[in-house]
Amino acid sequence: MSERAARLGRSHFRLFRAIPTRWADNDAYGHVNNVVYYSWFDTAVNAWLIEQGHLDLAGSEIVGLVVETACTYFESVAFPETIEAGIAVEKLGRSSVTYRIGIFRRGGEQAAAQGRFTHVYVGRASQKPAPIPDGLRDALQALAVSDAPG
């Protein structure tokens, strides 16, 4: 078993997105179920991609597919909280990007949960790896962090 990830703070992320929890997010134990965190990861990154003009759900010829994901939980979150998802880029390759995502309680200084996921960019029609387009690469570089969390 690997060593538990060090809990990250807000300074380890480049931008934040508020996401409200929903009644349906809570599980039988009274907190947000673990699978919902992965949905928040997807929502935070893909909303940013759409807002920045780098993803057209119906028309983009190059799309990012999630090929790897992980999450570490530190404290529970529950409805009706609004969380803040922090985003940063940990690694940028020719056709892939690994995002760092932190889930924070509104105004919280340390992540309640944190993780990562990797998009591999492919041609929508071919499903074969494709280089990250230059404009998107520039936007991703602006989110890059050089710190290696403990």
Side-chain angles (χ1 to χ4, degrees):
M1 182 174 210
S2 62
E3 188 174 314
R4 185 167 169 84
R7 192 171 184 182
L8 301 177
R10 286 184 174 269
S11 66
H12 290 96
F13 300 90
R14 295 291 172 255
L15 64 92
F16 292 85
R17 166 173 301 284
I19 302 174
T21 59
R22 304 167 308 158
W23 173 255
D25 294 338
N26 279 9
D27 62 18
Y29 302 112
H31 59 73
V32 170
N33 188 273
N34 60 321
V35 300
V36 174
Y37 290 76
Y38 290 99
S39 175
W40 291 338
F41 289 6
D42 245 357
T43 296
V45 170
N46 286 306
W48 176 80
L49 289 168
I50 291 166
E51 290 165 356
Q52 297 299 308
H54 299 296
L55 175 60
D56 175 343
L57 294 176
S60 291
E61 292 181 21
I62 307 293
V63 295
L65 302 181
V66 175
V67 298
E68 186 267 342
T69 188
C71 187
T72 302
Y73 306 91
F74 297 100
E75 62 183 273
S76 295
V77 175
F79 176 82
E81 291 182 70
T82 295
I83 61 94
E84 295 172 317
I87 304 171
V89 168
E90 285 189 346
K91 183 178 179 186
L92 184 57
R94 185 187 81 78
S95 62
S96 67
V97 57
T98 299
Y99 296 94
R100 172 189 300 168
I101 312 292
I103 302 301
F104 292 81
R105 288 196 138 100
R106 182 169 269 172
E109 287 302 317
Q110 290 193 299
Q114 66 199 36
R116 67 180 185 287
F117 78 82
T118 301
H119 267 157
V120 170
Y121 280 84
V122 300
R124 184 188 295 261
S126 70
Q127 296 290 291
K128 302 286 185 206
I132 295 172
D134 290 340
L136 174 54
R137 177 172 296 284
D138 292 343
L140 292 168
Q141 285 174 331
L143 296 180
V145 291
S146 59
D147 60 329

